[in-house]
Amino acid sequence: MSQPVSLHHLVRQFAHPGRLEAIYLRPARREPVVQVQQVEALVDRGLAGDRAAARTPWRVGGNKRQVTLIQAEHMPVVAAFTQQGHVDPAWLRRNLVVSGLNLLATRAMFKDEPMIVRIGAHVMLEITGPCEPCSRMEELLGPGGYNAMRGHGGVNARVLAGGHIQVGDAISCSLPLAL
């Protein structure tokens, strides 16, 4: 008879790496996002060219919303909830669009076992919590847009290790022991 698998083991188990589908930078509040093919992730700051990275960190490690990530698989769900044929990820103003890796599962479940999201060869992010929708979703998606995004708004992250990322990079999740 096999040993039961622990919850600590299960939360580290992912079927396969995901993929970085798109990168968006928000140059300033309420300005249109700019889609790029590659960008530099800056430790404790965010993505070069994004308004989050332009701010001076007010504490060691920077704030908890340096980079925002959203699940590509959630776009059809949001479209269905808003009765739109298509939802462009640019409308949602998240930095990174990820497919193939459940972003909600990348947040640490145990305080003593933080999880690290790796993008490409060098970049490491710590998922800090959900990226809640703002009232602007009503503007962009129509009536009910705010509620359509609840639970589908993605996650916030801090940059632990910087470097170059580009569309098509693999995204995986691991324990920080492999830093």
Side-chain angles (χ1 to χ4, degrees):
M1 183 166 212
S2 65
Q3 291 285 334
V5 178
S6 75
L7 191 54
H8 289 269
H9 174 76
L10 291 174
V11 298
R12 292 183 294 229
Q13 202 77 344
F14 289 85
H16 52 79
R19 181 179 189 277
L20 181 57
E21 297 293 339
I23 303 169
Y24 296 98
L25 302 176
R26 302 159 305 177
R29 189 172 191 275
R30 297 192 72 87
E31 282 191 23
V33 296
V34 176
Q35 187 171 10
V36 297
Q37 292 300 303
Q38 55 190 352
V39 72
E40 194 73 20
L42 308 170
V43 175
D44 296 340
R45 301 295 289 262
L47 303 178
D50 189 74
R51 72 186 184 109
R55 294 185 216 136
T56 302
W58 55 274
R59 66 177 185 174
V60 175
N63 72 37
K64 293 181 178 185
R65 190 178 170 143
Q66 297 170 12
V67 179
T68 57
L69 299 88
I70 194 161
Q71 193 79 54
E73 290 84 353
H74 288 198
M75 297 303 108
V77 173
V78 173
F81 288 155
T82 57
Q83 294 186 332
Q84 297 197 26
H86 168 75
V87 170
D88 185 336
W91 300 347
L92 308 179
R93 304 185 59 79
R94 303 306 189 256
N95 296 124
L96 306 177
V97 180
V98 174
S99 68
L101 182 73
N102 182 356
L103 288 174
L104 296 177
T106 62
R107 186 162 185 210
M109 197 167 185
F110 305 104
K111 287 187 186 264
D112 63 334
E113 293 181 15
M115 301 289 282
I116 302 299
V117 173
R118 295 174 183 273
I119 304 176
H122 304 288
V123 174
M124 290 186 274
L125 306 177
E126 172 193 15
I127 302 302
T128 58
C131 187
E132 300 295 348
C134 67
S135 60
R136 191 147 183 235
M137 292 301 109
E138 292 288 307
E139 239 176 85
L140 299 169
L141 299 171
Y146 177 83
N147 277 328
M149 287 293 296
R150 290 179 64 198
H152 301 286
V155 295
N156 296 317
R158 289 181 42 238
V159 180
L160 301 178
H164 178 83
I165 61 173
Q166 63 185 22
V167 171
D169 277 350
I171 299 180
S172 61
C173 190
S174 66
L175 290 174
L177 301 173
L179 291 175

